[in-house]
Amino acid sequence: MALNPQYDAIGKGFVQQYYALFDDPAQRANLANMYNETSFMTFEGVQLQGAVKIMEKLNSLTFQKIGRLITSVDSQPMFDGGVLIDVLGRLQTDDDQPHAYFQTFVLKPIGISFYVEHDMFRLALHDCDEDPPHPYMQTFVLKPLGDSFFVQHDIFRLGIHDVA
């Protein structure tokens, strides 16, 4: 398979669709259609595999109201036709304080569509007494090369939000 030239539009469209479903508690169950039994999710350090376990985790979240600001969506085409997507945003649930978050998706082609092969979510929280530095996210996709690896994809983003 070749690189998908529509990777940027696919990434932005996917993010819009995913968060529209996720942010509506009545629609969240429909996210099950985006995962399959080989999908992986890391949610705040907890690793899950398979659509059933991923949906159990998502359905266990107790907040009802979500305020979300997407600061950036960075996408790269993958050599198998997939798309690597990094999202930086701010998230506020119910009446909690807003927090920066990072989320990474790897979409893999299946027929004329895609499924989420990997999904990693992390709030950008710092446990320190000092003025925390800006959070950042760096995503690497490594590929084997003999007895070692090489970096096939690298996305770096500072967690700086341009909001008034």
Side-chain angles (χ1 to χ4, degrees):
M1 228 177 206
L3 295 175
N4 189 325
Q6 300 299 316
Y7 68 92
D8 195 53
I10 291 167
K12 288 179 174 138
F14 168 80
V15 166
Q16 183 179 15
Q17 180 183 14
Y18 184 91
Y19 291 137
L21 293 173
F22 185 94
D23 293 352
D24 181 353
Q27 294 294 319
R28 196 171 298 149
N30 292 322
L31 290 172
N33 298 323
M34 295 186 172
Y35 298 97
N36 68 26
E37 291 313 307
T38 63
S39 298
F40 284 91
M41 172 184 265
T42 303
F43 188 92
E44 288 293 313
V46 175
Q47 295 187 358
L48 308 159
Q49 182 179 6
V52 171
K53 292 200 183 289
I54 291 168
M55 291 311 300
E56 285 173 2
K57 177 62 181 174
L58 297 180
N59 289 326
S60 75
L61 301 172
T62 59
F63 50 81
Q64 292 301 306
K65 186 174 76 172
I66 299 174
R68 183 184 308 272
L69 170 71
I70 297 174
T71 303
S72 67
V73 176
D74 297 311
S75 301
Q76 289 185 359
M78 300 185 77
F79 290 98
D80 62 359
V83 181
L84 172 64
I85 306 165
D86 273 354
V87 180
L88 167 65
R90 290 187 69 151
L91 183 66
Q92 182 176 12
T93 58
D94 294 333
D95 294 322
D96 295 338
Q97 289 288 98
H99 294 288
Y101 76 93
F102 298 99
Q103 192 159 10
T104 300
F105 298 98
V106 174
L107 304 183
K108 290 296 180 180
I110 184 167
I112 60 169
S113 190
F114 293 88
Y115 74 96
V116 177
E117 183 179 60
H118 298 279
D119 177 355
M120 292 176 276
F121 175 87
R122 179 69 73 170
L123 289 172
L125 302 176
H126 298 280
D127 187 15
C128 61
D129 295 330
E130 305 168 11
D131 230 3
H134 288 294
Y136 74 92
M137 175 181 186
Q138 190 160 12
T139 302
F140 298 102
V141 175
L142 303 177
K143 292 293 182 178
L145 179 64
D147 294 336
S148 188
F149 295 90
F150 73 97
V151 176
Q152 188 175 45
H153 297 276
D154 179 2
I155 298 177
F156 178 86
R157 173 66 73 169
L158 279 175
I160 299 174
H161 303 278
D162 187 15
V163 294

